[in-house]
Amino acid sequence: MKYMLIFAGEHEGGEEKMAEVMAGVDTWWGKYSHSGAIVGGERLQPPSRATTVRLGGAAPTIVDGPFAETKESIGGFAIVDVPDLDAALEMVKSWPGSPAVEIRPVWED
Amino acid sequence: MGGATEAVLGEVFREEAGRVTASLMRRYGNFELAEDCTQEACVEALRSWPVRGIPTRPGAWLRRVAERRALDRLRRDQRFAAKVRVMPFPAPESGDDRLRLMFACCHPALSRDAQVALTLRTVAGLTTAQIASAFLISEASVAQRITRAKRKIVDAAIPFRMPAAADLEDRVAEVLAVLYLMFNEGYLASRWEVAHDSSLAEDATWLAGLVVHVLPTQAELLGLLALFKFQLARVRARFAADGSLVLLADQDRSLWDQEGIREASELLEQAATLDRPGPYQFQAAIASCHALAESWSATDWPLMVRLYDRLLQVQPSPVVRLNRAVALWHVAGAEVALSETDDLVPDLQRYHLLHSTRAELLRELGREDEAQAAWAQALALTLNPAERRHIRARAARI
């Protein structure tokens, strides 16, 4: 079963704290890549560098910023392939990065 | 169909529906298929049994019909069949299938409302209409809640198995919260038209017994079942012939079910030997303190206050503090108890029992005008007919 883990929100604290968090993320990512659970994923640049294109109107409009202004912005994602939701939850409980993670099942047909 | 037949069917479904769903679940590994086909079998039973009589082995009958439905459906829908085949579930482990079903229904990835509706429907075999009337919500919203939850179980791959050992305690806590909510809805009944229908409380007790059977060494689980049994043992004394509520202080204790109290006491002792205290065990201990007292005045109030103190340590809620204040009244007097409740007013402004408790205390202190104002506030905050009658009667007895 494939899920997308969506990492959201930012850590508080200075550079030192940030380095510590990144080191933890590297270890975590290494562990689950090695086990075969992580099949893809990336860290994203901040939403201030995002561009959104709205296609609902007569012509596409281009807007500076993310598609939704939320308190918890998306900082990265991983695609994981694990037996079930409990296995995904188990992984996510030890995630050392962002303060929130959404687990979204991927359509598989 | 007569009410008697319906009651028998209800009993059979409660006993069998969860088993049938669990066995289909194990065979086909698809929650939605298992649940739908069991429901269809129950509907067919409701049509057929009142006419032809209840079969000698109702469980086997339901299983056969549900199996046939499942096979029909798989034959009809090849795409669905393919999906079922790619979702094999692990072979059965030890323990009751229905418990695994309960863990799936009470999975923390589902909302509490969905957990409750799904557990009642799938494990206890209640119909959508019964769940709707128990929680005073429309049948359509119960159906929607159940459909969404079933889809999530299937599409997000919520597993049908015992939780990992490391998660067991958390997952049991999840089941306990669902059962506690179910029980209270049946026992306290915020629904106004049936103040004393305790069938939901009995369902919750039955389900708790099922879990205890498989997990006999979870202290809080034993505590919860003990609590349910202490409460149910007093159920016959809670209402007068005219349907009005009889407070614990005024109940005819000879109506209490001594056998039930004995069972509950044994469960609580069993829990205590495990040395893992928790909020449900403290609540059960408080209930036991009432159940074992010969009269209201013979209640061991100092012990009661100590038990509330322990409960407050693990569950610091304003409602628990209110109950502690009532116990304290009998130990330290109305003045002290009233000043305890002063602090609770901001939190419990909308809780009728705060106001009726304060009314009793104010009356004892001779402050009748303030007491009347408090009764009026209590009355404005509850719809339960038995409670309303009680409040009116207390306010009038000057």
Side-chain angles (χ1 to χ4, degrees):
Chain A
M1 183 77 195
K2 276 190 187 152
Y3 300 90
M4 184 179 199
L5 309 185
I6 305 164
F7 304 115
E10 273 151 44
H11 262 290
E12 315 245 315
E15 261 175 51
E16 205 175 308
K17 173 77 183 164
M18 195 60 197
E20 193 187 309
V21 167
M22 287 316 295
V25 167
D26 283 346
T27 311
W28 186 90
W29 202 280
K31 176 182 166 190
Y32 287 111
S33 298
H34 187 73
S35 77
I38 294 180
V39 297
E42 298 292 348
R43 184 181 174 205
L44 302 177
Q45 294 196 33
S48 59
R49 288 166 217 170
T51 307
T52 301
V53 181
R54 299 259 167 218
L55 298 158
T61 25
I62 298 167
V63 188
D64 177 21
F67 66 88
E69 289 289 354
T70 53
K71 226 171 85 202
E72 295 173 311
S73 65
I74 297 167
F77 68 94
I79 303 290
V80 300
D81 194 353
V82 290
D84 55 38
L85 185 63
D86 280 3
L89 283 167
E90 185 59 39
M91 282 178 75
V92 166
K93 279 183 193 162
S94 63
W95 166 248
S98 60
V101 183
E102 179 175 326
I103 305 172
R104 187 83 75 88
V106 169
W107 278 119
E108 284 176 293
D109 256 329
Chain B
M1 180 173 37
T5 322
E6 202 161 325
V8 173
L9 291 184
E11 197 118 312
V12 171
F13 291 164
R14 187 166 80 170
E15 195 55 52
E16 302 293 346
R19 283 183 206 276
V20 175
T21 309
S23 93
L24 290 182
M25 183 74 193
R26 196 176 34 191
R27 176 164 302 189
Y28 300 109
N30 185 295
F31 185 85
E32 207 178 13
L33 178 75
E35 213 277 335
D36 285 352
C37 294
T38 306
Q39 280 295 313
E40 284 173 21
C42 288
V43 169
E44 200 165 315
L46 280 171
R47 255 198 312 264
S48 149
W49 295 359
V51 183
R52 297 189 194 169
I54 295 176
T56 41
R57 292 176 56 220
W61 190 98
L62 283 174
R63 189 163 319 194
R64 212 165 46 241
V65 173
E67 284 273 354
R68 203 160 56 220
R69 295 287 171 131
L71 288 173
D72 283 351
R73 219 155 122 170
L74 291 174
R75 224 170 282 139
R76 235 185 4 245
D77 189 345
Q78 288 305 317
R79 201 165 146 273
F80 194 66
K83 194 164 179 185
V84 166
R85 267 199 304 277
V86 299
M87 286 189 56
F89 269 88
E93 309 149 47
S94 63
D96 194 296
D97 270 351
R98 284 177 297 180
L99 190 61
R100 256 169 274 160
L101 201 56
M102 203 170 335
F103 277 120
C105 292
C106 300
H107 196 281
L110 300 170
S111 74
R112 184 72 79 220
D113 287 345
Q115 293 175 336
V116 171
L118 206 55
T119 304
L120 282 173
R121 158 88 166 244
T122 308
V123 193
L126 265 63
T127 64
T128 308
Q130 285 171 318
I131 300 168
S133 83
F135 287 93
L136 258 199
I137 41 178
S138 75
E139 225 180 301
S141 60
V142 175
Q144 192 192 24
R145 218 172 261 182
I146 290 175
T147 307
R148 283 186 52 182
K150 279 197 296 191
R151 283 249 66 102
K152 181 159 181 190
I153 288 184
V154 174
D155 292 339
I158 287 176
F160 173 67
R161 58 174 155 80
M162 292 296 283
D167 291 337
L168 189 62
E169 202 146 320
D170 287 349
R171 298 289 304 277
V172 167
E174 206 71 36
V175 172
L176 297 183
V178 168
L179 296 177
Y180 187 72
L181 197 98
M182 229 181 250
F183 186 94
N184 280 343
E185 191 57 39
Y187 194 73
L188 306 171
S190 59
R191 52 217 161 112
W192 46 277
E193 84 278 32
V194 273
H196 52 274
D197 176 3
S198 59
S199 58
L200 204 55
E202 281 157 22
D203 285 332
T205 308
W206 177 79
L207 286 166
L210 204 66
V211 189
V212 165
H213 186 70
V214 186
L215 297 172
T217 57
Q218 291 280 323
E220 276 293 85
L221 178 54
L222 292 167
L224 187 75
L225 183 57
L227 175 63
F228 289 173
K229 285 187 182 265
F230 278 126
Q231 308 279 53
L232 281 181
R234 300 199 299 249
V235 91
R236 263 186 305 163
R238 287 180 73 221
F239 295 94
D242 65 353
S244 64
L245 190 67
V246 183
L247 285 197
L248 196 49
D250 309 319
Q251 284 176 13
D252 174 358
R253 297 188 178 214
S254 70
L255 292 176
W256 290 0
D257 167 18
Q258 290 306 323
E259 176 64 22
I261 291 173
R262 203 182 49 75
E263 279 176 31
S265 303
E266 276 171 18
L267 285 162
L268 189 56
E269 278 168 34
Q270 215 177 314
T273 62
L274 295 164
D275 205 20
R276 298 289 304 270
Y280 294 122
Q281 291 169 78
F282 291 131
Q283 286 187 61
I286 289 161
S288 124
C289 205
H290 282 305
L292 300 176
E294 272 170 33
S295 66
W296 179 252
S297 58
T299 309
D300 187 346
W301 294 111
L303 174 61
M304 208 64 118
V305 173
R306 285 201 301 281
L307 287 170
Y308 275 117
D309 284 336
R310 296 292 304 274
L311 180 57
L312 275 172
Q313 282 170 6
V314 288
Q315 196 180 66
S317 90
V319 173
V320 176
R321 285 184 60 199
L322 177 63
N323 290 329
R324 181 184 176 277
V326 174
L328 195 65
W329 177 9
H330 301 279
V331 177
E335 188 94 53
V336 177
L338 185 65
S339 76
E340 285 282 313
T341 65
D342 286 343
D343 297 345
L344 301 173
V345 174
D347 281 331
L348 298 179
Q349 197 109 247
R350 313 267 327 141
Y351 187 48
H352 66 280
L353 290 179
L354 170 77
H355 300 289
S356 47
T357 304
R358 286 176 62 83
E360 297 284 0
L361 293 166
L362 287 161
R363 172 172 290 169
E364 188 173 307
L365 294 168
R367 292 154 68 176
E368 189 60 33
D369 287 352
E370 289 166 83
Q372 286 299 329
W375 285 126
Q377 270 179 296
L379 194 62
L381 292 170
T382 179
L383 288 172
N384 183 305
E387 301 214 41
R388 289 179 68 83
R389 252 196 305 269
H390 172 77
I391 293 169
R392 285 210 189 87
R394 290 298 299 160
R397 200 186 307 150
I398 298 173

